[in-house]
Amino acid sequence: MSKLPSYRQPSACQGRSNCAACSLREDMVCADVPLDDVVGFHTQAVDYRFPPGTIMQNTHGPVEAVYCVRQGAVKLVKYDANGGQRIVRVMKRGDVVGIDWAFSGSAESTAVAIGEVHACRIPVDFFRQFTARHADLQIRLLRKSQEALREVELWLAQLVGGAIPARVRVARLLLRLRDGDGERIHRLSNEDLGAILGLTEETISRVIAGFLREGMLERAGSSLAARYLRADIAALERVAGQD
Amino acid sequence: MSKLPSYRQPSACQGRSNCAACSLREDMVCADVPLDDVVGFHTQAVDYRFPPGTIMQNTHGPVEAVYCVRQGAVKLVKYDANGGQRIVRVMKRGDVVGIDWAFSGSAESTAVAIGEVHACRIPVDFFRQFTARHADLQIRLLRKSQEALREVELWLAQLVGGAIPARVRVARLLLRLRDGDGERIHRLSNEDLGAILGLTEETISRVIAGFLREGMLERAGSSLAARYLRADIAALERVAGQD
DNA sequence: CGTGTACTTGAGTGGGCTCAAGCAGGGTGG
DNA sequence: CCACCCTGCTTGAGCCCACTCAAGTACACG
């Protein structure tokens, strides 16, 4: 019945034989590294696929690899005493998951695949050696780290604000989940949206139901499980503007 | 009347003549840089003092320098449309204020001195040259950046959580504002505490009044303007634990 | 002594949480 | 093929915490 390949374990991608052909090379961290060096790299970092929900790194678990995301998204989650989850970061195409635990040696959050994820897997030891040898790569990583910091600060200021009403916060988050510049919006579960904003599942549901009713949002595709929403961007921006 | 020196402008510190004598050298970013190079550095980066409330960098303002904090604290603030402020980071002794704007060329937040701040001022141009030449320094900066990221993620998860009651949040924040390992707690204004937690000034006041009443907190020093509080750490941790 | 700033305290309201039930879709196994 | 369950989403009723608005106080400074 299913048209998707059935895979239960991450599987190596056989489609590409080296990084020279990688369409992402410009965007990736290794952009500045000479191609000759990357070839050695490539024997380590093959392109893997991770099914939805795969736990790529556990909090305080053994640190084995870092990942360059090529497609899909990865969430970094922290759990509180009651088992409630809080998403502290979402990493997308071109981001490097695990710089933090590669350097510190211990992971302070859990990394989970949202939807299907394609990523290059680089063993930490190799990653450490490799970065130590390439100054350009260090600069790249520093920039990535700064970008991440900027993103999280934006979350703090605009998304999780105390007095900001739920409607506004959800609108702002949806706008940040756009697929490129189009009107398609990446659809996370209500639970995940809540875990990002610090709101409950129910509140998210009510707010989004409101947007649907007002015609600012509609489900793309027929089924409930559609991976995207179609949005009236201008209308969302109007809601997001009022604080 | 005032026993403090009166200064309206940042003033250079005359007490030290070079970085070799700097008691902070081990902690600072430049720890790995050979002393010979630091001497050149020193002609640029003298030790400045900034009076409370000094704006060290304006949002979207011209970028002129980065600062190594030697004493005191600096807050990074974002303002929303209504003029409400949100503190996204607090930088303390040993932190480098402005890595982000030095690299990106534009500041996304305003940096303000909390209390009196002692800091080394390094012009951005010099900073860029200097970091480009020293690989060790890049690694250091990367680590600093990662530390900051970790800190902000912690804020997201434990401080600004949606369902977490104000009492718990304030207790957790106070514990993070400890002066070393003692029972002294750095006293910020209620407004600042609120801007960190996403709560109103009034709520902060009520919660702290509660702690004072219950004896978990007492004002250090006689006056209201005391820069510190004395806390029953164990009691605070008990409150902070319940979520 | 008067002014300004920061903090305190009170009364009332409302938005989002909690608890609880109901519903739709997808996968599984008989 | 259908009955079943399980997960994710929806909707409702009631409550409580933190916000809002508004006075009032204490201290610092000129």
Side-chain angles (χ1 to χ4, degrees):
Chain A
M1 177 57 80
S2 89
K3 288 168 187 169
L4 292 171
S6 74
Y7 41 91
R8 296 251 62 86
Q9 296 297 326
S11 56
C13 167
Q14 319 97 316
R16 304 174 318 101
S17 57
N18 65 63
C19 294
C22 176
S23 59
L24 268 160
R25 218 178 97 80
E26 293 299 305
D27 298 331
M28 301 302 272
V29 266
C30 52
D32 297 323
V33 177
L35 207 58
D36 296 349
D37 289 354
V38 178
V39 173
F41 196 90
H42 180 258
T43 64
Q44 301 285 333
V46 271
D47 188 15
Y48 277 85
R49 297 178 179 200
F50 301 88
T54 307
I55 295 173
M56 299 165 76
Q57 174 68 45
N58 235 315
T59 308
H60 299 135
V63 173
E64 281 165 4
V66 304
Y67 304 88
C68 284
V69 180
R70 298 172 46 76
Q71 205 170 108
V74 177
K75 59 179 176 182
L76 295 192
V77 188
K78 283 179 188 285
Y79 297 94
D80 58 26
N82 323 346
Q85 65 168 9
R86 185 75 197 235
I87 297 178
V88 294
R89 206 141 41 110
V90 175
M91 319 205 63
K92 298 185 293 285
R93 159 188 271 241
D95 289 334
V96 184
V97 180
I99 308 182
D100 43 351
W101 62 62
F103 280 97
S104 73
S106 127
E108 296 298 322
S109 46
T110 297
V112 182
I114 303 176
E116 192 195 10
V117 170
H118 294 209
C120 291
R121 181 183 187 280
I122 305 141
V124 271
D125 293 335
F126 188 80
F127 178 79
R128 288 202 195 100
Q129 288 171 37
F130 200 75
T131 49
R133 255 183 295 131
H134 295 279
D136 292 341
L137 191 51
Q138 289 162 20
I139 295 279
R140 271 265 161 164
L141 288 173
L142 182 52
R143 279 180 190 281
K144 282 282 174 197
S145 181
Q146 289 292 320
E147 274 175 35
L149 204 44
R150 209 168 260 237
E151 177 82 8
V152 180
E153 287 179 353
L154 234 150
W155 280 26
L156 261 180
Q158 304 190 346
L159 259 32
V160 298
I164 307 171
R167 257 180 81 84
V168 178
R169 288 203 255 170
V170 173
R172 286 181 178 168
L173 178 52
L174 290 178
L175 285 171
R176 307 209 109 248
L177 293 176
R178 274 214 276 176
D179 186 28
D181 288 337
E183 53 180 8
R184 281 207 319 185
I185 289 186
H186 207 91
R187 174 80 169 109
L188 305 191
S189 71
N190 285 348
E191 192 184 0
D192 279 351
L193 293 176
I196 292 173
L197 293 173
L199 295 171
T200 60
E201 203 183 355
E202 294 96 322
T203 302
I204 302 286
S205 178
R206 279 183 247 267
V207 170
I208 289 189
F211 288 163
L212 290 167
R213 214 176 304 123
E214 296 166 36
M216 303 170 51
L217 229 54
E218 61 186 34
R219 301 190 205 281
S222 56
S223 90
L224 240 169
R227 289 287 78 186
Y228 291 99
L229 295 170
R230 195 165 304 280
D232 179 347
I233 301 296
L236 272 187
E237 280 173 343
R238 228 170 298 127
V239 175
Q242 41 181 263
D243 29 317
Chain B
M1 178 55 85
S2 89
K3 289 167 186 167
L4 293 169
S6 74
Y7 40 88
R8 297 252 61 88
Q9 297 297 326
S11 55
C13 167
Q14 319 96 317
R16 305 173 319 101
S17 57
N18 65 64
C19 294
C22 177
S23 59
L24 268 162
R25 219 177 97 81
E26 293 299 306
D27 298 331
M28 301 301 271
V29 266
C30 53
D32 297 323
V33 176
L35 206 58
D36 295 351
D37 289 354
V38 180
V39 174
F41 195 90
H42 181 259
T43 63
Q44 299 286 333
V46 272
D47 187 14
Y48 277 85
R49 298 176 178 201
F50 301 88
T54 307
I55 295 174
M56 299 165 76
Q57 174 68 46
N58 234 314
T59 308
H60 299 135
V63 172
E64 283 165 4
V66 304
Y67 304 88
C68 284
V69 179
R70 299 173 43 78
Q71 204 171 109
V74 177
K75 60 180 176 181
L76 296 192
V77 188
K78 282 179 188 288
Y79 298 94
D80 58 26
N82 323 346
Q85 65 169 8
R86 185 74 196 234
I87 297 178
V88 294
R89 207 140 42 108
V90 174
M91 319 205 64
K92 299 184 292 282
R93 160 186 270 239
D95 289 332
V96 184
V97 180
I99 308 184
D100 44 350
W101 63 62
F103 281 97
S104 73
S106 125
E108 295 298 322
S109 46
T110 297
V112 183
I114 303 177
E116 191 194 15
V117 170
H118 294 207
C120 290
R121 182 183 187 279
I122 306 142
V124 271
D125 294 333
F126 188 81
F127 178 79
R128 288 201 195 101
Q129 289 171 37
F130 199 76
T131 50
R133 256 182 294 131
H134 296 279
D136 294 341
L137 190 52
Q138 289 163 20
I139 295 278
R140 271 265 161 161
L141 288 174
L142 182 52
R143 281 180 189 281
K144 282 282 174 195
S145 180
Q146 290 292 319
E147 274 175 34
L149 204 45
R150 209 167 260 236
E151 178 83 7
V152 180
E153 287 180 353
L154 234 150
W155 279 25
L156 262 179
Q158 304 190 345
L159 259 31
V160 298
I164 307 171
R167 258 181 79 85
V168 178
R169 288 203 254 168
V170 173
R172 286 181 178 168
L173 178 53
L174 290 179
L175 286 172
R176 309 207 108 249
L177 293 175
R178 275 213 274 175
D179 187 28
D181 288 337
E183 53 178 9
R184 283 205 320 183
I185 289 185
H186 207 91
R187 174 84 169 106
L188 305 191
S189 72
N190 285 347
E191 192 184 358
D192 281 350
L193 293 175
I196 292 174
L197 293 174
L199 295 171
T200 59
E201 203 183 355
E202 294 95 322
T203 301
I204 302 286
S205 177
R206 278 183 248 269
V207 170
I208 289 189
F211 288 162
L212 290 167
R213 214 175 305 120
E214 297 165 36
M216 302 169 52
L217 227 54
E218 60 185 35
R219 300 190 204 281
S222 55
S223 90
L224 237 171
R227 288 288 80 187
Y228 291 98
L229 294 170
R230 194 164 305 280
D232 179 348
I233 301 294
L236 271 188
E237 279 172 343
R238 229 171 296 128
V239 175
Q242 43 181 264
D243 26 322

